[in-house]
Amino acid sequence: MSRLTDLIARAKAKDVQLGAELDREFKILSARLPFGLNFERHSPEAVELPLRPVRKGDKVRVLPARGSTKKGDQRLWQVKAIHKGKKTAELELLNTEEPDEQTVALDDLVVVAEFRDTIYPGLVSTGKVQRGGDKPWHTVINGENYHVLKALTYTHRGKVDAIYIDPPYNTGAKDWKYNNDYVEGDDLYRHSKWLAMMERRLLVAKDLLNPEDSVLIVTIDEKEYLRLGLLLEQMFPEATIQMVSSVINPKGSSRAGRFSRVDEYLFFVLFGAAAVTPWRTDMLRDDADVEREVRWAGLMRNGEGSRRDRIPSMFFPIFLDEKTGAFHSVGEPPELRVKRESIIPPPGTVVLWPVDRNGQELMWRLSPESLREYIRMGHAKFGRRDPNTGLRPAYYLQRGIRTMLETGEVIAVSKDAEGALELKFADSTGTRSPTTIWNMVSHSASEYGAGVLKALLPGRRFPYPKSPYAIEDALRFFVGKKPGAVILDFFAGSGTTAHAVMRLNKQDGGQRQCISVTNNEVGADEQKKLREQGLRPGDPEWEQWGICDYITKPRVAAAISGKTPAGEQIKGDYRFTDEFPMAEGFEENAEFFTLTYETPVSVSYNMAFARIAPLLWLRAGAQGERIDKLPTEGWAVANTYGLLTDVDAATPFVKALGKVEGLRIAYIVTDDDRRFQAIAKRLPDGVEPVRLYESYLTNFSFTNGE
């Protein structure tokens, strides 16, 4: 090192500029770790924004002619002037010693955001599906995932309980892009580009995770698992890291002269107090044969002393839907002299009486009031429907089993479609620690990844979708006992993580939220066909085939609604932990957004607020109504947050906040720090004051690479 230092000093003496450049490069090299993972941190990605209107001062690229499949001019130009009448822009070449200018049609330009540029993010809603009442909303965001992650540092810093990502596996088969180019197998820098891409995103993701108790889950295959493991060790030295091997392709991928691959790998990075919660299986062996079943007793009495005339109040009707057999209601006991045939059921129902096969009138084991309470608690249920009568036998939990529920000897693992508890004995459920090798039939990607997606979106294809049951199991070990957990997937792809989170919610009545982030990239083969048709990114005819618009959003909507994009009932049933028809959907809410790139110069005051309104709503929990417009009264209050835009209206604003239960945040718009502090002191207990500057977009701006 001393010899190099001397040589650099001599170089400085002869050529100051050359010596300074050598010194800078030497310091970069000497700062590298002598051991561990060393890789080139390539020029940060520049992102093309085809949906962003071209504005003066923008950096742009000139697109190839429509119909051409050739790669366009990758040089960066700056827009010096725009001629709206002619629909052209005057450009000046950047990063060159010799000046170069040209005039180009606006339609032939695409805006580019470089890593070091200041970004002013916004969100625009592009649709929603609502079946979950006042439950929190899942969100799907169409945007470059690094930029979305940076925007989420405002809304979710330290609030995320679990991140699950399935990043590109870097196979060399055009499965991902770096700087707008597919990274192919013969690229000598393929691995370091992948590592640079992952490192930038994981650094931001760390800011989103709850440092006290959270988990990062990353799936990968043999192409990059060694490098990923080292990267995670270097980036998160404070975390506990384990790798799991999971069988996802039982049939195997045949390779001449090599082992047939059946598995992939999951890295679990545990922060703070995060720990694996035991489950009913160790994920390696089939334990079904050693599990005892919890017995449900028949609701109808039998034997001596069970006749109606003994206790008439225990002889009453139970009404079931005549078409589906679903429970409708519990009736009142008729007087002893009243014949049961004279009781008229509610329209559209059939009546279930405690009558045996011989027609003898018996009685139920519970009173009407008790039965209603048992059904509400999930302690009563109905069996298979008789195809001839349309009736179903009734069952209930006896006192002994209910006592075991209280003591923990019996555990409720989920609920069925009608709300009845699904029970397991504690010695066979929730007490097995999972192994580091998973061999679960439900994790088969071909059968339950592609198969489930095919049922939801008939005729639409996506390469290698994960089984929702695989993601569901991975998440359950960490958020199974966190019914309000926030889960993030910033390589959302086909939307399987959101689907898995909804299944977890159905099993225990939870209100977990999933934030899914994906771009709207079109597959390589499809891109070539579209370009030959004269289409480009940004054209509606192009965008409709993108991942987000063609797969992710429709998949989430279909899962919730129970209907395909064509409006037909989804065929097939969910399996394993809880089984029910896919057509039932989920009682969940989801809203779809597109990330926008704004400039505070050309956006009006009202428009600027409209762009950041969803970010305020997200930070407050993405629940209930949203304040989308600036309030004319100077303030407004929604379900979980309030907004004060006129500090002179602070008194009625604070008074209104006190009337709303569950309020979390009060946004106060002012550039005056003293007035902000004064109003913050007047807020109700438990309400977080958040200051917004009057130039709305600057509250959320960030510089790439910061």
Side-chain angles (χ1 to χ4, degrees), residues 464-487:
Y464 312 114
K466 285 280 189 290
S467 164
Y469 310 117
I471 300 179
E472 173 188 326
D473 286 344
L475 289 172
R476 184 186 290 109
F477 291 124
F478 300 95
V479 301
K481 294 187 177 181
K482 294 181 180 179
V486 176
I487 295 95

PDB file of all heavy atoms in Angstrom, residues 464-487:
ATOM      1  N   TYR A 464     -43.789 -19.487 -14.406  1.00  0.00           N
ATOM      2  CA  TYR A 464     -43.396 -20.010 -13.092  1.00  0.00           C
ATOM      3  C   TYR A 464     -44.065 -19.319 -11.900  1.00  0.00           C
ATOM      4  O   TYR A 464     -43.383 -18.862 -10.975  1.00  0.00           O
ATOM      5  CB  TYR A 464     -41.877 -19.962 -12.928  1.00  0.00           C
ATOM      6  CG  TYR A 464     -41.135 -20.521 -14.102  1.00  0.00           C
ATOM      7  CD1 TYR A 464     -40.345 -19.698 -14.909  1.00  0.00           C
ATOM      8  CD2 TYR A 464     -41.231 -21.871 -14.439  1.00  0.00           C
ATOM      9  CE1 TYR A 464     -39.666 -20.209 -16.012  1.00  0.00           C
ATOM     10  CE2 TYR A 464     -40.556 -22.385 -15.543  1.00  0.00           C
ATOM     11  CZ  TYR A 464     -39.777 -21.555 -16.324  1.00  0.00           C
ATOM     12  OH  TYR A 464     -39.111 -22.053 -17.414  1.00  0.00           O
ATOM     13  N   PRO A 465     -45.389 -19.233 -11.869  1.00  0.00           N
ATOM     14  CA  PRO A 465     -46.032 -18.639 -10.679  1.00  0.00           C
ATOM     15  C   PRO A 465     -45.883 -19.560  -9.471  1.00  0.00           C
ATOM     16  O   PRO A 465     -45.891 -20.784  -9.599  1.00  0.00           O
ATOM     17  CB  PRO A 465     -47.500 -18.510 -11.101  1.00  0.00           C
ATOM     18  CG  PRO A 465     -47.689 -19.592 -12.121  1.00  0.00           C
ATOM     19  CD  PRO A 465     -46.384 -19.686 -12.867  1.00  0.00           C
ATOM     20  N   LYS A 466     -45.730 -18.973  -8.312  1.00  0.00           N
ATOM     21  CA  LYS A 466     -45.622 -19.724  -7.070  1.00  0.00           C
ATOM     22  C   LYS A 466     -46.989 -20.287  -6.658  1.00  0.00           C
ATOM     23  O   LYS A 466     -48.039 -19.734  -6.964  1.00  0.00           O
ATOM     24  CB  LYS A 466     -45.116 -18.813  -5.952  1.00  0.00           C
ATOM     25  CG  LYS A 466     -43.632 -18.491  -6.037  1.00  0.00           C
ATOM     26  CD  LYS A 466     -42.806 -19.637  -5.491  1.00  0.00           C
ATOM     27  CE  LYS A 466     -41.343 -19.251  -5.356  1.00  0.00           C
ATOM     28  NZ  LYS A 466     -40.665 -19.086  -6.638  1.00  0.00           N
ATOM     29  N   SER A 467     -46.959 -21.383  -5.895  1.00  0.00           N
ATOM     30  CA  SER A 467     -48.175 -21.887  -5.271  1.00  0.00           C
ATOM     31  C   SER A 467     -48.552 -20.951  -4.130  1.00  0.00           C
ATOM     32  O   SER A 467     -47.714 -20.626  -3.283  1.00  0.00           O
ATOM     33  CB  SER A 467     -47.948 -23.288  -4.705  1.00  0.00           C
ATOM     34  OG  SER A 467     -48.974 -23.628  -3.787  1.00  0.00           O
ATOM     35  N   PRO A 468     -49.812 -20.495  -4.067  1.00  0.00           N
ATOM     36  CA  PRO A 468     -50.204 -19.628  -2.943  1.00  0.00           C
ATOM     37  C   PRO A 468     -50.063 -20.339  -1.604  1.00  0.00           C
ATOM     38  O   PRO A 468     -49.820 -19.701  -0.574  1.00  0.00           O
ATOM     39  CB  PRO A 468     -51.669 -19.280  -3.247  1.00  0.00           C
ATOM     40  CG  PRO A 468     -52.129 -20.312  -4.219  1.00  0.00           C
ATOM     41  CD  PRO A 468     -50.920 -20.721  -5.004  1.00  0.00           C
ATOM     42  N   TYR A 469     -50.195 -21.675  -1.606  1.00  0.00           N
ATOM     43  CA  TYR A 469     -50.058 -22.427  -0.356  1.00  0.00           C
ATOM     44  C   TYR A 469     -48.611 -22.389   0.146  1.00  0.00           C
ATOM     45  O   TYR A 469     -48.376 -22.413   1.362  1.00  0.00           O
ATOM     46  CB  TYR A 469     -50.504 -23.878  -0.565  1.00  0.00           C
ATOM     47  CG  TYR A 469     -51.846 -24.009  -1.234  1.00  0.00           C
ATOM     48  CD1 TYR A 469     -51.975 -24.616  -2.477  1.00  0.00           C
ATOM     49  CD2 TYR A 469     -52.999 -23.502  -0.638  1.00  0.00           C
ATOM     50  CE1 TYR A 469     -53.209 -24.736  -3.101  1.00  0.00           C
ATOM     51  CE2 TYR A 469     -54.237 -23.604  -1.259  1.00  0.00           C
ATOM     52  CZ  TYR A 469     -54.337 -24.223  -2.492  1.00  0.00           C
ATOM     53  OH  TYR A 469     -55.559 -24.328  -3.113  1.00  0.00           O
ATOM     54  N   ALA A 470     -47.648 -22.321  -0.771  1.00  0.00           N
ATOM     55  CA  ALA A 470     -46.238 -22.246  -0.372  1.00  0.00           C
ATOM     56  C   ALA A 470     -45.946 -20.926   0.329  1.00  0.00           C
ATOM     57  O   ALA A 470     -45.278 -20.882   1.373  1.00  0.00           O
ATOM     58  CB  ALA A 470     -45.340 -22.407  -1.592  1.00  0.00           C
ATOM     59  N   ILE A 471     -46.438 -19.829  -0.244  1.00  0.00           N
ATOM     60  CA  ILE A 471     -46.210 -18.510   0.371  1.00  0.00           C
ATOM     61  C   ILE A 471     -46.995 -18.397   1.670  1.00  0.00           C
ATOM     62  O   ILE A 471     -46.515 -17.849   2.671  1.00  0.00           O
ATOM     63  CB  ILE A 471     -46.597 -17.391  -0.613  1.00  0.00           C
ATOM     64  CG1 ILE A 471     -45.738 -17.494  -1.886  1.00  0.00           C
ATOM     65  CG2 ILE A 471     -46.438 -16.020   0.041  1.00  0.00           C
ATOM     66  CD1 ILE A 471     -46.051 -16.450  -2.930  1.00  0.00           C
ATOM     67  N   GLU A 472     -48.203 -18.923   1.661  1.00  0.00           N
ATOM     68  CA  GLU A 472     -49.040 -18.920   2.866  1.00  0.00           C
ATOM     69  C   GLU A 472     -48.318 -19.598   4.025  1.00  0.00           C
ATOM     70  O   GLU A 472     -48.284 -19.072   5.150  1.00  0.00           O
ATOM     71  CB  GLU A 472     -50.342 -19.650   2.532  1.00  0.00           C
ATOM     72  CG  GLU A 472     -51.282 -19.892   3.684  1.00  0.00           C
ATOM     73  CD  GLU A 472     -52.437 -20.792   3.260  1.00  0.00           C
ATOM     74  OE1 GLU A 472     -52.875 -20.703   2.085  1.00  0.00           O
ATOM     75  OE2 GLU A 472     -52.893 -21.595   4.087  1.00  0.00           O
ATOM     76  N   ASP A 473     -47.728 -20.760   3.766  1.00  0.00           N
ATOM     77  CA  ASP A 473     -47.015 -21.478   4.824  1.00  0.00           C
ATOM     78  C   ASP A 473     -45.800 -20.697   5.309  1.00  0.00           C
ATOM     79  O   ASP A 473     -45.543 -20.602   6.516  1.00  0.00           O
ATOM     80  CB  ASP A 473     -46.569 -22.850   4.309  1.00  0.00           C
ATOM     81  CG  ASP A 473     -47.721 -23.837   4.189  1.00  0.00           C
ATOM     82  OD1 ASP A 473     -48.787 -23.580   4.764  1.00  0.00           O
ATOM     83  OD2 ASP A 473     -47.553 -24.867   3.508  1.00  0.00           O
ATOM     84  N   ALA A 474     -45.011 -20.135   4.374  1.00  0.00           N
ATOM     85  CA  ALA A 474     -43.812 -19.389   4.761  1.00  0.00           C
ATOM     86  C   ALA A 474     -44.163 -18.197   5.647  1.00  0.00           C
ATOM     87  O   ALA A 474     -43.480 -17.910   6.634  1.00  0.00           O
ATOM     88  CB  ALA A 474     -43.065 -18.923   3.511  1.00  0.00           C
ATOM     89  N   LEU A 475     -45.229 -17.484   5.299  1.00  0.00           N
ATOM     90  CA  LEU A 475     -45.635 -16.312   6.075  1.00  0.00           C
ATOM     91  C   LEU A 475     -46.240 -16.702   7.417  1.00  0.00           C
ATOM     92  O   LEU A 475     -46.049 -16.005   8.424  1.00  0.00           O
ATOM     93  CB  LEU A 475     -46.643 -15.478   5.282  1.00  0.00           C
ATOM     94  CG  LEU A 475     -46.102 -14.715   4.074  1.00  0.00           C
ATOM     95  CD1 LEU A 475     -47.242 -14.100   3.272  1.00  0.00           C
ATOM     96  CD2 LEU A 475     -45.134 -13.618   4.519  1.00  0.00           C
ATOM     97  N   ARG A 476     -46.982 -17.813   7.450  1.00  0.00           N
ATOM     98  CA  ARG A 476     -47.689 -18.193   8.675  1.00  0.00           C
ATOM     99  C   ARG A 476     -46.742 -18.353   9.854  1.00  0.00           C
ATOM    100  O   ARG A 476     -47.107 -18.036  11.005  1.00  0.00           O
ATOM    101  CB  ARG A 476     -48.463 -19.496   8.451  1.00  0.00           C
ATOM    102  CG  ARG A 476     -49.314 -19.897   9.675  1.00  0.00           C
ATOM    103  CD  ARG A 476     -49.961 -21.261   9.512  1.00  0.00           C
ATOM    104  NE  ARG A 476     -51.001 -21.222   8.505  1.00  0.00           N
ATOM    105  CZ  ARG A 476     -50.905 -21.783   7.312  1.00  0.00           C
ATOM    106  NH1 ARG A 476     -49.782 -22.408   6.964  1.00  0.00           N
ATOM    107  NH2 ARG A 476     -51.905 -21.736   6.475  1.00  0.00           N
ATOM    108  N   PHE A 477     -45.529 -18.819   9.610  1.00  0.00           N
ATOM    109  CA  PHE A 477     -44.586 -19.024  10.708  1.00  0.00           C
ATOM    110  C   PHE A 477     -44.237 -17.722  11.426  1.00  0.00           C
ATOM    111  O   PHE A 477     -43.734 -17.743  12.546  1.00  0.00           O
ATOM    112  CB  PHE A 477     -43.302 -19.664  10.175  1.00  0.00           C
ATOM    113  CG  PHE A 477     -43.489 -21.090   9.712  1.00  0.00           C
ATOM    114  CD1 PHE A 477     -43.137 -21.461   8.426  1.00  0.00           C
ATOM    115  CD2 PHE A 477     -44.036 -22.040  10.546  1.00  0.00           C
ATOM    116  CE1 PHE A 477     -43.304 -22.757   7.990  1.00  0.00           C
ATOM    117  CE2 PHE A 477     -44.215 -23.351  10.124  1.00  0.00           C
ATOM    118  CZ  PHE A 477     -43.859 -23.716   8.837  1.00  0.00           C
ATOM    119  N   PHE A 478     -44.504 -16.566  10.788  1.00  0.00           N
ATOM    120  CA  PHE A 478     -44.107 -15.284  11.378  1.00  0.00           C
ATOM    121  C   PHE A 478     -45.274 -14.312  11.591  1.00  0.00           C
ATOM    122  O   PHE A 478     -45.191 -13.462  12.468  1.00  0.00           O
ATOM    123  CB  PHE A 478     -43.033 -14.632  10.504  1.00  0.00           C
ATOM    124  CG  PHE A 478     -41.802 -15.477  10.374  1.00  0.00           C
ATOM    125  CD1 PHE A 478     -41.631 -16.333   9.299  1.00  0.00           C
ATOM    126  CD2 PHE A 478     -40.832 -15.452  11.363  1.00  0.00           C
ATOM    127  CE1 PHE A 478     -40.515 -17.138   9.196  1.00  0.00           C
ATOM    128  CE2 PHE A 478     -39.706 -16.255  11.269  1.00  0.00           C
ATOM    129  CZ  PHE A 478     -39.543 -17.111  10.188  1.00  0.00           C
ATOM    130  N   VAL A 479     -46.338 -14.423  10.810  1.00  0.00           N
ATOM    131  CA  VAL A 479     -47.473 -13.501  10.987  1.00  0.00           C
ATOM    132  C   VAL A 479     -48.753 -14.238  11.339  1.00  0.00           C
ATOM    133  O   VAL A 479     -49.821 -13.635  11.398  1.00  0.00           O
ATOM    134  CB  VAL A 479     -47.694 -12.626   9.733  1.00  0.00           C
ATOM    135  CG1 VAL A 479     -46.458 -11.820   9.417  1.00  0.00           C
ATOM    136  CG2 VAL A 479     -48.124 -13.466   8.534  1.00  0.00           C
ATOM    137  N   GLY A 480     -48.649 -15.561  11.577  1.00  0.00           N
ATOM    138  CA  GLY A 480     -49.839 -16.332  11.929  1.00  0.00           C
ATOM    139  C   GLY A 480     -50.525 -15.821  13.177  1.00  0.00           C
ATOM    140  O   GLY A 480     -51.743 -15.927  13.312  1.00  0.00           O
ATOM    141  N   LYS A 481     -49.749 -15.271  14.098  1.00  0.00           N
ATOM    142  CA  LYS A 481     -50.327 -14.730  15.332  1.00  0.00           C
ATOM    143  C   LYS A 481     -50.296 -13.206  15.345  1.00  0.00           C
ATOM    144  O   LYS A 481     -50.361 -12.583  16.411  1.00  0.00           O
ATOM    145  CB  LYS A 481     -49.580 -15.302  16.538  1.00  0.00           C
ATOM    146  CG  LYS A 481     -49.782 -16.810  16.686  1.00  0.00           C
ATOM    147  CD  LYS A 481     -49.191 -17.353  17.967  1.00  0.00           C
ATOM    148  CE  LYS A 481     -49.485 -18.850  18.102  1.00  0.00           C
ATOM    149  NZ  LYS A 481     -48.930 -19.408  19.366  1.00  0.00           N
ATOM    150  N   LYS A 482     -50.198 -12.618  14.156  1.00  0.00           N
ATOM    151  CA  LYS A 482     -50.264 -11.162  14.011  1.00  0.00           C
ATOM    152  C   LYS A 482     -51.409 -10.833  13.060  1.00  0.00           C
ATOM    153  O   LYS A 482     -51.205 -10.616  11.861  1.00  0.00           O
ATOM    154  CB  LYS A 482     -48.954 -10.607  13.442  1.00  0.00           C
ATOM    155  CG  LYS A 482     -47.747 -10.756  14.363  1.00  0.00           C
ATOM    156  CD  LYS A 482     -46.517 -10.154  13.692  1.00  0.00           C
ATOM    157  CE  LYS A 482     -45.276 -10.270  14.567  1.00  0.00           C
ATOM    158  NZ  LYS A 482     -44.091  -9.694  13.892  1.00  0.00           N
ATOM    159  N   PRO A 483     -52.633 -10.806  13.551  1.00  0.00           N
ATOM    160  CA  PRO A 483     -53.793 -10.606  12.663  1.00  0.00           C
ATOM    161  C   PRO A 483     -53.810  -9.249  11.971  1.00  0.00           C
ATOM    162  O   PRO A 483     -54.527  -9.072  10.988  1.00  0.00           O
ATOM    163  CB  PRO A 483     -54.993 -10.761  13.602  1.00  0.00           C
ATOM    164  CG  PRO A 483     -54.444 -10.482  14.968  1.00  0.00           C
ATOM    165  CD  PRO A 483     -53.039 -10.979  14.958  1.00  0.00           C
ATOM    166  N   GLY A 484     -53.020  -8.300  12.448  1.00  0.00           N
ATOM    167  CA  GLY A 484     -52.982  -6.982  11.820  1.00  0.00           C
ATOM    168  C   GLY A 484     -51.681  -6.707  11.086  1.00  0.00           C
ATOM    169  O   GLY A 484     -51.343  -5.548  10.830  1.00  0.00           O
ATOM    170  N   ALA A 485     -50.958  -7.755  10.726  1.00  0.00           N
ATOM    171  CA  ALA A 485     -49.635  -7.608  10.124  1.00  0.00           C
ATOM    172  C   ALA A 485     -49.696  -6.921   8.763  1.00  0.00           C
ATOM    173  O   ALA A 485     -50.679  -7.025   8.032  1.00  0.00           O
ATOM    174  CB  ALA A 485     -48.962  -8.967   9.982  1.00  0.00           C
ATOM    175  N   VAL A 486     -48.597  -6.217   8.432  1.00  0.00           N
ATOM    176  CA  VAL A 486     -48.424  -5.605   7.115  1.00  0.00           C
ATOM    177  C   VAL A 486     -47.349  -6.401   6.380  1.00  0.00           C
ATOM    178  O   VAL A 486     -46.239  -6.575   6.891  1.00  0.00           O
ATOM    179  CB  VAL A 486     -48.005  -4.126   7.229  1.00  0.00           C
ATOM    180  CG1 VAL A 486     -47.734  -3.544   5.838  1.00  0.00           C
ATOM    181  CG2 VAL A 486     -49.087  -3.320   7.939  1.00  0.00           C
ATOM    182  N   ILE A 487     -47.687  -6.888   5.187  1.00  0.00           N
ATOM    183  CA  ILE A 487     -46.776  -7.701   4.385  1.00  0.00           C
ATOM    184  C   ILE A 487     -46.486  -6.966   3.083  1.00  0.00           C
ATOM    185  O   ILE A 487     -47.395  -6.396   2.471  1.00  0.00           O
ATOM    186  CB  ILE A 487     -47.383  -9.087   4.094  1.00  0.00           C
ATOM    187  CG1 ILE A 487     -47.560  -9.880   5.391  1.00  0.00           C
ATOM    188  CG2 ILE A 487     -46.496  -9.882   3.139  1.00  0.00           C
ATOM    189  CD1 ILE A 487     -48.919  -9.790   6.008  1.00  0.00           C
TER     190      ILE A 487
END
